[in-house]
Structures are given as structure tokens and as C-alpha cells.
């Protein structure tokens, strides 16, 4: 049965009159339940996006209302896992926004050479494409052996995929183009072997990677980092939550450490903006200066 995906469109044939205020209450109650029962805190995620994804799950479960979904989720962990996949938007790619990686090579890598040891945190790494891209870049720059990459995500299912290092073979052409545009120095196919419909990336790329579950909303910092990547994650959070996560990043970066955000994200209007300087005219690359 169709569900109301946007507010202009009440549920046709629904056993109740569509009421946006009531819908908000149902959504808030569901998110509260998810938080209290499972510990996943989506209460400060951007409302419009959460709402759309909840209705998608209502439909996927063959239910009618958000309250129906709440009951199902609280009593059935499998439904919670499916919802987690819906809510955690795992879209990613290798060398995503190739110009970002090109700029990283040019602007950040020279600074990284001055460190005897480099700690990089990929917060919200999804299925790992971003981490493998960085491992390749560091390997080509001769920096991989002095680096340790911490790849974290709220979602354990995507982390398990990341650990395997197998990516869809049919995306290799796109990734090869990205790699070249990102300033790649070798032949991209050197990094993987084709296996059925998957591309298995060289296990040596993850020899210095630690994959682990970490929730940016509820968990604390776990080290001091030279670089933090958090790309295309904050976009799903409301302003208040973005500020909280910026505090976490600020506390977790060494002085002169680098913060890398996604193309649609920025430090603008965050209370931490004065603590950083922008080090690229085109990319969201910031250096912590105070
Ligand atoms: C769109 S992906 C971005 C992946 C990669 N950083 C990139 O730019 O391609 C967003 C990721 O953020 C993760 N995420 C969402 N909320 C999170 C949270 N509270 N803590 C940690 N990760 C979170 C999701 O599970 C998802 O894998």
C-alpha cells in the first residue's frame, strides 16, 4: 500500500486522517524508542530525510503507520537492522570527487611528510571505498608505512563489507576514471583482482587499517588524529548535532591537524569555525590552528 512520502500527499484509503503534527509525534516517539532500546541516536538527524526513510521502511515492511513501525522495531531486531540500513545512507565510491583527492595530494601530503607517524580517522566510512582510496594514495606517496587508518561507521553491516575489500566489478571503469582524475600514478588494475562479479582489492592495502563500529552521536573520541575525514555524513545531521560532532573532531585533532569534509558540508556557522583555517580554495579542507 502507498504511504504518504510528502506532506502534500495524505495516505489514500488510510484508516486515519493525515495530520503532520501527529506524524511528527509518532516519528519522535519512534526515534526515542530506537535510542532507548538499541542505543542508536537518530533524534537530531535532519527531519525531512529521516521522515522519508521511515516511510520507506513502513512501506517495505508492509505496514501502514509510523506507530506500526515503532512496535515492529521494538520487538524485532531484524526490522531494526533493516531500518538502520535505510537510515544510514551508505552511498559511496572510490576516489569520490576526484578533485578532492588531487587537492589532498597537493596541499596536505607535503605536511604529512613532516610527521614521523600519521593517524587518520575515516568517520562514517561506509563500505570502505574512501579508506581504500586513501590507502592507495598514501602508498603511492610513500607514506603508508608510517600511517594508521581508523575506519569507523555506526553500521556494522557496512563495516563487514569494508573489511572484505571486495567492490562491484561493474564500477571499476568509473573508479579507474576517478583514480586517474585524482592524480593516480599507476595502473588502477594493479590494486585488484577480478573474482566473479567482484573486484578483490589487495589485502596489503588494509594492513594498517583498523575497522571498528563507532557512533558519532553517542561515542567518544578514541585517539588523537593527524587527519579526520568525515565526508558526506554531517549533511544528515541537524545544526545542533553538527556542532556536537565538530566538538568531537576538534577534541580529537592534533594542533595543525586536518579536517576534511564533503563537498556540500562546511564549518561555516559552526562554533568551531574560528579554530580552523581553510587550506584549499576549492575543497573542504581545514587546518586546526587554535
Ligand atoms: C553517505 S555515507 C559516506 C561514506 C563516505 N564517507 C563517502 O563520503 O563516500 C554516510 C555514512 O555515515 C554513516 N553514519 C551515519 N550516522 C552515523 C553516526 N551517527 N556515526 C557514525 N557513522 C554514521 C552511515 O552509516 C554511512 O555509512
Amino acid at each position: 500500500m502507498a504511504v504518504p512520502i510528502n506532506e502534500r500527499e495524505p495516505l489514500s484509503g488510510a484508516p486515519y486522517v493525515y495530520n503532520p503534527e501527529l506524524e511528527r509525534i509518532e516519528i519522535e516517539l519512534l526515534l526515542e524508542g530506537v535510542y532507548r532500546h538499541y542505543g542508536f541516536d537518530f533524534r537530531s538527524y535532519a527531519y525531512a530525510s529521516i521522515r522519508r526513510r521511515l516511510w520507506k521502511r513502513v512501506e517495505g515492511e508492509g505496514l501502514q503507520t509510523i506507530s506500526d513501525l515503532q512496535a515492529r522495531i521494538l520487538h524485532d531486531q531484524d526490522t531494526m537492522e533493516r531500518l538502520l540500513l535505510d537510515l544510514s545512507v551508505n552511498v559511496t565510491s572510490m576516489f569520490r570527487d576526484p578533485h578532492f583527492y588531487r587537492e589532498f595530494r597537493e596541499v596536505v601530503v607535503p605536511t604529512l611528510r613532516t610527521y614521523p607517524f600519521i593517524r587518520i580517522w575515516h568517520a562514517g566510512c561506509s563500505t570502505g571505498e574512501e579508506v581504500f582510496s586513501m590507502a592507495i594514495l598514501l602508498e603511492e606517496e610513500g607514506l603508508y608505512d608510517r600511517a594508521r587508518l581508523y575506519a569507523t561507521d555506526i553500521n556494522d553491516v557496512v563495516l563487514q563489507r569494508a573489511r572484505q575489500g571486495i567492490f562491484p566489478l561493474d564500477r571499476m571503469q568509473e573508479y579507474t576514471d576517478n583514480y586517474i582524475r585524482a592524480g593516480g600514478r599507476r595502473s588502477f588494475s594493479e590494486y585488484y583482482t577480478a573474482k566473479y562479479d567482484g573486484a578483490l582489492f589487495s589485502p596489503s592495502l588494509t594492513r594498517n587499517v583498523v575497522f571498528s563500529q563507532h557512533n558519532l552521536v553517542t561515542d567518544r573520541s578514541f585517539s588523537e588524529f593527524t587527519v579526520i575525514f568525515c565526508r558526506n555524513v554531517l549533511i544528515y545531521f541537524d545544526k545542533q548535532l553538527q556542532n556536537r560532532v565538530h566538538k568531537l573532531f576538534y577534541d580529537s585533532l592534533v594542533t595543525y591537524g586536518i579536517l576534511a569534509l564533503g563537498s556540500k558540508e562546511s564549518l561555516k556557522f559552526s562554533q568551531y569555525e574560528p579554530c580552523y583555517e581553510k587550506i584549499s580554495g576549492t575543497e573542504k579542507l581545514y587546518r586546526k590552528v587554535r
Side-chain angles (χ1 to χ4, degrees):
M1 164 175 265
V3 291
I5 300 291
N6 70 57
E7 301 195 345
R8 285 169 284 115
E9 212 179 289
L11 179 57
S12 59
Y16 63 91
V17 176
Y18 176 64
N19 176 339
E21 275 160 35
L22 205 50
E23 181 195 42
R24 189 176 272 270
I25 294 172
E26 287 183 281
I27 289 178
E28 286 174 7
L29 288 173
L30 182 148
L31 296 179
E32 184 66 27
V34 165
Y35 174 57
R36 287 176 53 183
H37 191 53
Y38 293 102
F40 293 115
D41 191 354
F42 290 100
R43 295 173 301 173
S44 301
Y45 279 43
Y47 183 74
S49 156
I50 280 283
R51 174 180 179 270
R52 205 171 46 246
R53 289 166 210 289
L54 287 177
W55 277 115
K56 184 176 160 228
R57 183 57 19 225
V58 169
E59 189 169 24
E61 301 296 321
L63 301 171
Q64 292 212 338
T65 66
I66 300 278
S67 298
D68 292 344
L69 182 64
Q70 178 188 313
R72 172 84 56 95
I73 277 171
L74 291 180
H75 295 283
D76 177 29
Q77 186 151 1
D78 291 346
T79 311
M80 180 60 220
E81 277 168 21
R82 288 191 289 277
L83 179 69
L84 194 54
L85 280 174
D86 293 334
L87 293 185
S88 63
V89 195
N90 305 116
V91 180
T92 186
S93 53
M94 292 190 89
F95 294 97
R96 182 175 190 173
D97 306 324
H99 41 87
F100 167 83
Y101 286 89
R102 184 175 281 274
E103 187 80 345
F104 189 90
R105 273 187 203 262
E106 281 170 20
V107 178
V108 180
V109 163
T111 315
L112 295 186
R113 290 194 195 292
T114 66
Y115 287 89
F117 193 71
I118 306 162
R119 272 201 183 82
I120 301 184
W121 180 13
H122 291 270
C125 69
S126 187
T127 37
E129 285 82 339
E130 179 184 282
V131 184
F132 279 78
S133 306
M134 193 45 50
I136 289 172
L137 187 154
L138 294 172
E139 185 80 55
E140 293 184 1
E141 296 294 339
L143 288 173
Y144 189 78
D145 282 328
R146 61 171 109 157
R148 166 93 16 125
L149 284 65
Y150 297 83
T152 65
D153 202 281
I154 188 178
N155 184 335
D156 204 37
V157 174
V158 292
L159 283 173
Q160 281 169 28
R161 299 244 302 273
R163 278 189 196 99
Q164 290 171 351
I166 302 174
F167 302 114
L169 200 54
D170 60 11
R171 295 198 71 182
M172 287 307 122
Q173 189 51 54
E174 172 199 345
Y175 292 171
T176 304
D177 293 345
N178 284 357
Y179 168 76
I180 293 167
R181 287 167 53 214
R185 306 240 162 97
R186 300 187 194 157
S187 161
F188 189 57
S189 58
E190 281 178 33
Y191 293 107
Y192 65 87
T193 42
K195 263 200 165 175
Y196 306 105
D197 53 356
L200 171 64
F201 276 71
S202 165
S204 78
L205 288 172
T206 45
R207 67 187 186 277
N208 292 346
V209 180
V210 179
F211 292 99
S212 139
Q213 194 173 25
H214 180 276
N215 186 338
L216 287 166
V217 182
T218 46
D219 294 338
R220 289 161 184 243
S221 174
F222 52 94
S223 191
E224 258 208 325
F225 300 96
T226 332
V227 182
I228 297 178
F229 283 84
C230 187
R231 307 190 64 226
N232 308 298
V233 180
L234 295 179
I235 202 172
Y236 300 106
F237 297 174
D238 72 13
K239 273 275 160 249
Q240 202 186 351
L241 181 53
Q242 288 182 18
N243 259 319
R244 254 168 61 202
V245 177
H246 277 308
K247 176 176 181 351
L248 176 69
F249 292 157
Y250 178 80
D251 292 343
S252 310
L253 266 179
V254 298
T255 307
Y256 303 120
I258 305 292
L259 177 65
L261 303 178
S263 61
K264 297 190 199 78
E265 295 155 340
S266 129
L267 267 173
K268 264 215 160 68
F269 311 121
S270 133
Q271 67 193 90
Y272 289 90
E273 189 180 3
C275 307
Y276 291 85
E277 67 181 9
K278 197 156 185 277
I279 55 168
S280 162
T282 52
E283 308 305 321
K284 302 297 174 45
L285 284 165
Y286 303 88
R287 179 186 288 122
K288 173 175 166 179
V289 286
R290 57 178 68 87

